[in-house]
């Protein structure tokens, strides 16, 4: 399993560029983003100047501070979002949301 962890400031911007499978996104009390994907999931997490960008070729599980702002580009499968209090923008979901 691939795992990535990044410490975030409150209300940070998290850009989920593309997910090649299902996405589960859960807000938590932790100040850290943690993303998990299968070994061949192609998980990539990069820190840009004001944001964190995440891409994954397969399905992905993401935990992040509940106050984060989230922008999602494309989810190829289903998306499930729980316990977020920050803003959420979703462009495209090919499955259920």
């Amino acid at each position: 399993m691939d795992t990535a962890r990044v410490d975030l400031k409150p209300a940070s911007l998290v850009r989920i560029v593309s997910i090649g499978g299902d996405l589960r996104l859960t807000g938590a009390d932790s100040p850290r983003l943690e993303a998990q994907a299968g070994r061949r999931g192609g998980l990539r997490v990069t820190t840009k100047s004001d944001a964190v960008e995440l891409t994954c070729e397969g399905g992905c599980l993401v935990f992040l501070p509940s106050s984060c702002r989230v922008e999602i580009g494309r989810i190829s499968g289903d998306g499930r979002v729980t316990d977020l209090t920050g803003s959420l923008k979703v462009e495209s979901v090919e499955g259920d949301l």
Side-chain angles (χ1 to χ4, degrees):
M1 177 176 290
D2 285 342
T3 301
R5 293 179 183 92
V6 177
D7 289 327
L8 298 175
K9 296 177 184 174
S12 292
L13 175 61
V14 176
R15 288 186 187 107
I16 299 175
V17 178
S18 67
I19 302 295
D22 295 340
L23 172 67
R24 290 182 186 239
L25 185 66
T26 302
D29 292 332
S30 171
R32 174 182 287 179
L33 176 143
E34 181 174 329
Q36 301 173 354
R39 287 185 196 205
R40 297 181 185 194
L43 177 64
R44 289 181 300 283
V45 178
T46 57
T47 303
K48 302 283 182 164
S49 60
D50 66 335
V52 171
E53 289 191 356
L54 183 148
T55 60
C56 187
E57 294 172 11
C60 191
L61 175 61
V62 179
F63 300 96
L64 69 165
S66 59
S67 62
C68 281
R69 298 172 295 136
V70 179
E71 295 178 358
I72 301 172
R74 181 182 60 84
I75 303 171
S76 293
D78 296 336
R80 181 176 182 172
V81 179
T82 57
D83 299 325
L84 287 183
T85 59
S87 64
L88 173 66
K89 177 182 175 184
V90 180
E91 290 183 23
S92 173
V93 178
E94 294 179 15
D96 295 328
L97 177 64

